[in-house]
Amino acid sequence: KQIFSLTREKKIYINLNETFPCVRLLNATHQIGCQSSLSGDVGVLHLLESEENLDWVLRTGPNPPYMVILESTLFTRPILMKLKNGSSRVAGVLAVQPTSNPPEGFSPHTSCPNENTGVYSETYGPSYAHCNVTMWNPLGTGISYEEFDFPIFSVKDDNDTEVIRRCYMEHNRAVNGSTPQYPLCAMQLMSHMAAVTDTATCMRRNAPTFSLAPDGVCDPLGDANIWASTKPLNSSTKGHKDGVSVVIAATKLDSRSFFFDVAPGADSAATGLVALLAAASALHNATAELNRTILYTFFNGETFDYIGSSRMVYDMAKNDFTVDLDNIHSILEVGQVALGPDSRLWLHSDPVSKRNSSVNVETLVSNLQAAAAGLNLSLGEPNVTQPLPPSSFQRFLLERPIPGVVIENHQTSFTNKYYQSMFDNAEYLKLNYPPNLTPEEQLELVTDSAKALTEVATTVARGLYLQAGGELAQMSRIQADSELVSKMLYTFLVRVNNSWFDQLVKSDWTGVLRNRPTNFYIGVTGQYFSEPALMVQCILANLTGSIANITEGNCQDKKMDKDENMNKDIYSYLWVQGPVRPNSTERDSFCVRSLVRQSKALSPAFELSEYTSKNYSTWAESRWSAIKGRIFLVASHDLEMLTLGVGVGVLLMSLLLTYIVSSKADILFSSGREPTNATY
Amino acid sequence: MNLERLPNEEKLTLCRKYYLGGFAFLPFLWLVNVVWFFREAFIKPAYTEQLQIKTYVQRSAVGLLLWVAVLTTWITIFQHFRAQWGEVGDSLSFTIPRGTP
């Protein structure tokens, strides 16, 4: 940063502090998202009052291009599409976040999520493909998957936004039909994306033929799946394991919204994974004597065409995973499980594979019904012959007909009005913490939603217990802990930085525990895991593992301690930060030994370098240099040209004058007569 | 170098060197030849070597025009169609602009 121009810059520009841009994502065929020009797009501010007011922006306004400020009620598909079509007069869009969720719902995702990478296609259940039977996300407008050639930023409705509105009111408002006079308030938004066209092009340009120091343009989306087994499995031997029969308990770890790095994912991701974590904790002591092994899998990247689950299935099929597809007995997936007022959950299954007599879904369904007996919820099966909702289970079905059930809170279409949007947050789940409580008190409070989710977790735990060969009589001692569920919901959806999670996190956590909800966006494969994967890894290790009495060095380095039998192929060791000692800043750290492992969640398309693949996810995220916004006053174009013209004129005049003076110098600068040579 | 001070034979050898050098895919040598020796070839009063210098300058001019035509055509086509050529376009490029196709 240049220091000398800083004070003058401060007098001219007001920087926007916290902005959430819309970035460019690419797949095999398209680019989606927003793009700005290299040095940012500048436009005169205009606060849109209604859809009719768009006329001013698109046709009648005298000072194009305009930077349109959209309040949340106007951030709709028709308005955005009109702005997109008139984009020569639109410099960008600033969307103001509302203080509470819009009551009519809002979903920028497509109405048929993961349409082309599920199991239903022309060859498998063609009548079920492309949401022919049930439109899963009817409120979906699909704007997350549109391409805009101007930047779209989102800002919270706080003091900075008030400054922007005041600037507009003072300078830009057209009063009673008169055109606003210069100087006008303008805004510059910069979010230049390097990647273009599609994933194949951007991956090719990541490594160009001639370049000396190639500067990457995009990165594939990916992260890690977290999985854990209830019985030790030797992870160094890959492929089929004889005698091992596995019940997979799956859920998804990620979510998204229209804007980058904003993904509160309350119902779409958090409820499922909290329920499964609580179930794993409840089953912790009961699974040793069971026939089958339960494999808890938390898939990352399911929002973007099943990145995590397609990768795990691919690894299993290639004998590159601890178990293979023939070891799988059945699959239970926990989807969106926030209970509505009727406390009903629905067990979805695949109608095509059920016709095969070897696929026994009935046992799984009856086990789940037995598990829910006596609890405060009821389970039902959809009464229409309906395909599976978008779920990781579909990727397993692509390889083998495996019996499986997906537990969801909707019978037909989603009940989630805010699917994959920034409004799928704690407020939607009615996690209403009274504002006068401190964060510590809020952490301890068990809300009704948490109690309801505990019932779901108990059902899942008991259902898994029965499915893994447990006895009905023993089932009632398996109970999920509502305080644990409440704490987890608080951690994921309200505030990551709290005293409960603080003790469980591993001590070399590279990020900073934030005072805000978890960001469930998968992001790009990097050195470190995304926040949700890391959190699930730490929580699951602490809930299902046991404390190992070994030193930090041995725990971190995983060295073989002579006294202990540290079999790294079976167990994983995590050095946990632990609680703070009273009256000190030191911590009682300890080592947790667990069966929690991670597997790569990068789409097989990138492993095989098939960037135009139709079978696997090909999503990649563009790189960018700077993302910022600022507001300032602009002068009229005519004034700018006049200033430039005057400057050029002065230059030419001075050149002319200098030439004239220099050519007539002997006349102008002579002193009248020759100076006498006065030599003495 | 001031051509005024050179004897005519050396002017001729210089002009010839630039003319021959331009065949090594160096059209700028022909440009220099044309511009530098133009006065010598066409404006100065006649002298023995001037005829040869004149032919060299004329041929350099012809070669230069040919190069200009070819390069202009190729550059126009490349700039216009590079984006549509996809992989071929990228493999022909040294720097690929970021953010545009």
Side-chain angles (χ1 to χ4, degrees):
Chain A
K1 276 251 174 80
Q2 292 167 314
I3 306 296
F4 62 84
S5 66
L6 211 54
T7 44
R8 195 178 310 147
E9 226 182 278
K10 277 203 193 123
K11 286 190 187 158
I12 304 175
Y13 303 109
I14 300 177
N15 289 320
L16 300 182
N17 277 334
E18 220 186 314
T19 52
F20 303 99
C22 137
V23 298
R24 178 172 275 173
L25 295 169
L26 310 106
N27 72 355
T29 47
H30 289 86
Q31 56 181 19
I32 64 172
C34 316
Q35 168 73 304
S36 85
S37 40
L38 187 54
S39 53
D41 284 307
V42 179
V44 170
L45 278 179
H46 179 74
L47 190 71
L48 201 69
E49 281 142 34
S50 63
E51 198 165 337
E52 291 74 37
N53 195 216
L54 263 183
D55 216 34
W56 176 267
V57 173
L58 297 175
R59 288 189 321 111
T60 58
N63 311 311
Y66 283 99
M67 190 63 75
V68 184
I69 303 178
L70 288 181
E71 304 284 351
S72 67
T73 45
L74 294 170
F75 194 74
T76 60
R77 187 185 168 91
I79 291 182
L80 282 174
M81 287 297 115
K82 283 192 187 149
L83 287 172
K84 176 180 167 175
N85 287 332
S87 68
S88 58
R89 287 176 58 108
V90 179
V93 171
L94 189 73
V96 181
Q97 290 177 20
T99 42
S100 65
N101 292 347
E104 70 275 9
F106 174 77
S107 173
H109 207 73
T110 48
S111 51
C112 191
N114 291 345
E115 179 172 9
N116 300 314
T117 41
V119 69
Y120 301 107
S121 64
E122 279 68 32
T123 47
Y124 187 102
S127 55
Y128 301 120
H130 303 297
C131 292
N132 223 342
V133 173
T134 314
M135 188 60 71
W136 295 112
N137 187 22
L139 289 171
T141 50
I143 53 178
S144 287
Y145 290 84
E146 291 286 339
E147 183 196 341
F148 299 97
D149 60 1
F150 47 78
I152 302 182
F153 279 43
S154 166
V155 282
K156 290 200 174 75
D157 201 347
D158 55 8
N159 291 338
D160 286 346
T161 321
E162 265 318 296
V163 168
I164 298 174
R165 287 207 189 96
R166 253 208 323 269
C167 189
Y168 168 77
M169 292 295 173
E170 280 169 27
H171 296 101
N172 294 18
R173 203 117 180 270
V175 183
N176 287 343
S178 67
T179 55
Q181 293 299 315
Y182 277 98
L184 294 175
C185 200
M187 181 156 65
Q188 180 182 35
L189 293 179
M190 192 188 303
S191 64
H192 180 72
M193 301 287 137
V196 273
T197 323
D198 54 30
T199 301
T201 310
C202 87
M203 294 302 286
R204 186 177 67 227
R205 290 185 185 183
N206 267 344
T209 29
F210 293 119
S211 196
L212 302 162
D215 215 6
V217 286
C218 73
D219 301 291
L221 285 183
D223 194 67
N225 297 322
I226 306 290
W227 62 271
S229 54
T230 49
K231 292 204 193 122
L233 292 173
N234 193 343
S235 67
S236 58
T237 55
K238 315 266 184 199
H240 189 80
K241 286 203 161 55
D242 290 321
V244 171
S245 176
V246 164
V247 174
I248 290 187
T251 187
K252 81 175 202 228
L253 257 185
D254 75 314
S255 177
R256 71 164 301 192
S257 78
F258 183 78
F259 298 101
F260 172 70
D261 244 9
V262 173
D267 199 12
S268 55
T271 49
L273 77 91
V274 167
L276 195 59
L277 283 172
S281 175
L283 283 171
H284 170 49
N285 288 323
T287 48
E289 71 269 14
L290 294 177
N291 279 342
R292 303 194 180 100
T293 312
I294 301 174
L295 196 70
Y296 306 105
T297 48
F298 297 82
F299 293 117
N300 214 339
E302 300 303 275
T303 314
F304 291 102
D305 288 332
Y306 305 120
I307 297 178
S309 54
S310 67
R311 180 54 189 265
M312 184 174 276
V313 170
Y314 173 79
D315 285 343
M316 284 182 180
K318 247 182 10 150
N319 289 330
D320 201 10
F321 191 71
T322 316
V323 292
D324 83 341
L325 292 161
D326 296 317
N327 286 119
I328 303 179
H329 171 263
S330 48
I331 297 181
L332 175 63
E333 182 166 344
V334 186
Q336 305 180 68
V337 288
L339 285 182
D342 54 355
S343 295
R344 294 210 72 172
L345 286 181
W346 302 94
L347 307 176
H348 296 257
S349 50
D350 172 42
V352 177
S353 61
K354 268 200 298 196
R355 292 185 216 140
N356 191 341
S357 57
S358 65
V359 172
N360 184 0
V361 180
E362 289 77 25
T363 318
L364 182 50
V365 170
S366 61
N367 279 339
L368 286 166
Q369 296 280 21
L375 294 176
N376 259 342
L377 56 85
S378 59
L379 298 176
E381 284 184 85
N383 50 14
V384 191
T385 316
Q386 195 174 238
L388 285 172
S391 49
S392 316
F393 176 40
Q394 290 197 23
R395 295 298 304 195
F396 285 88
L397 281 178
L398 268 174
E399 295 285 331
R400 295 261 199 294
I402 303 174
V405 158
V406 180
I407 306 178
E408 300 269 8
N409 59 6
H410 52 87
Q411 184 181 15
T412 49
S413 309
F414 293 161
T415 52
N416 188 353
K417 292 190 291 194
Y418 309 110
Y419 184 66
Q420 311 289 24
S421 81
M422 61 165 121
F423 304 117
D424 191 7
N425 49 18
E427 181 194 329
Y428 170 59
L429 289 189
K430 301 194 184 56
L431 289 180
N432 298 320
Y433 293 101
N436 56 349
L437 294 182
T438 64
E440 283 313 306
E441 289 165 355
Q442 286 179 352
L443 179 67
E444 299 296 327
L445 179 67
V446 180
T447 55
D448 291 335
S449 314
K451 290 186 190 140
L453 196 60
T454 314
E455 301 288 284
V456 177
T458 310
T459 311
V460 170
R462 291 180 181 177
L464 284 172
Y465 179 76
L466 294 176
Q467 187 71 5
E471 290 176 16
L472 199 57
Q474 304 288 328
M475 188 187 75
S476 52
R477 59 190 175 96
I478 296 170
Q479 176 74 41
D481 179 13
S482 59
E483 286 180 12
L484 177 66
V485 169
S486 174
K487 289 190 172 98
M488 285 198 285
L489 279 176
Y490 184 79
T491 306
F492 281 108
L493 297 176
V494 181
R495 197 181 150 113
V496 176
N497 187 8
N498 58 63
S499 60
W500 174 77
F501 183 63
D502 205 35
Q503 298 180 25
L504 303 180
V505 77
K506 54 187 207 184
S507 61
D508 55 356
W509 170 282
T510 45
V512 173
L513 285 183
R514 299 192 296 176
N515 293 341
R516 24 169 146 171
T518 317
N519 169 23
F520 282 102
Y521 175 62
I522 180 173
V524 296
T525 39
Q527 243 183 324
Y528 310 111
F529 293 166
S530 64
E531 199 179 20
L534 214 43
M535 290 167 76
V536 166
Q537 185 192 28
C538 293
I539 296 176
L540 193 60
N542 275 287
L543 292 180
T544 58
S546 54
I547 299 180
N549 196 357
I550 54 179
T551 61
E552 178 176 358
N554 288 343
C555 189
Q556 300 268 39
D557 301 338
K558 303 180 178 53
K559 279 205 284 276
M560 292 288 272
D561 194 336
K562 287 193 292 293
D563 303 329
E564 303 269 340
N565 188 7
M566 287 177 73
N567 197 335
K568 296 189 303 301
D569 295 330
I570 297 179
Y571 295 102
S572 70
Y573 294 84
L574 202 66
W575 185 252
V576 167
Q577 200 168 254
V580 184
R581 280 191 210 134
N583 299 335
S584 143
T585 51
E586 293 284 308
R587 288 184 176 269
D588 283 325
S589 305
F590 52 90
C591 187
V592 171
R593 185 186 80 159
S594 66
L595 296 166
V596 175
R597 311 199 86 88
Q598 60 270 12
S599 80
K600 206 165 178 187
L602 182 67
S603 171
F606 293 101
E607 291 293 315
L608 302 167
S609 295
E610 287 174 7
Y611 304 126
T612 49
S613 165
K614 291 192 183 27
N615 305 325
Y616 299 114
S617 165
T618 47
W619 286 104
E621 183 190 274
S622 166
R623 288 200 196 175
W624 57 84
S625 47
I627 291 193
K628 48 189 176 184
R630 55 189 183 179
I631 59 171
F632 45 91
L633 294 177
V634 279
S636 70
H637 192 65
D638 300 331
L639 181 63
E640 287 175 1
M641 287 297 115
L642 183 68
T643 315
L644 181 65
V646 165
V648 170
V650 166
L651 175 68
L652 291 176
M653 278 301 295
S654 58
L655 284 176
L656 190 66
L657 207 62
T658 313
Y659 175 71
I660 292 174
V661 167
S662 116
S663 66
K664 302 279 190 270
D666 46 347
I667 302 177
L668 288 170
F669 295 117
S670 71
S671 59
R673 63 175 178 201
E674 291 300 301
T676 51
N677 289 351
T679 52
Y680 294 99
Chain B
M1 190 192 289
N2 195 351
L3 279 183
E4 307 287 332
R5 299 212 198 123
L6 284 178
N8 287 342
E9 301 81 39
E10 287 193 32
K11 283 186 207 168
L12 182 59
T13 37
L14 201 60
C15 191
R16 183 187 295 128
K17 274 191 201 153
Y18 271 80
Y19 169 68
L20 293 174
F23 280 105
F25 293 91
L26 298 169
F28 272 104
L29 287 184
W30 284 339
L31 175 65
V32 168
N33 214 9
V34 167
V35 169
W36 204 15
F37 283 95
F38 189 79
R39 175 170 279 182
E40 287 294 321
F42 296 104
I43 299 190
K44 280 268 171 71
Y47 53 90
T48 31
E49 290 82 355
Q50 197 195 39
L51 196 60
Q52 278 205 290
I53 292 180
K54 201 188 274 192
T55 48
Y56 285 146
V57 170
Q58 281 168 339
R59 286 185 198 167
S60 301
V62 165
L64 181 68
L65 282 173
L66 206 66
W67 265 97
V68 166
V70 167
L71 279 180
T72 315
T73 320
W74 166 244
I75 289 171
T76 318
I77 292 177
F78 184 73
Q79 290 296 336
H80 202 242
F81 291 112
R82 177 192 59 82
Q84 298 163 25
W85 285 344
E87 191 166 349
V88 174
D90 282 354
S91 59
L92 285 174
S93 308
F94 188 81
T95 14
I96 303 172
R98 287 161 79 87
T100 51

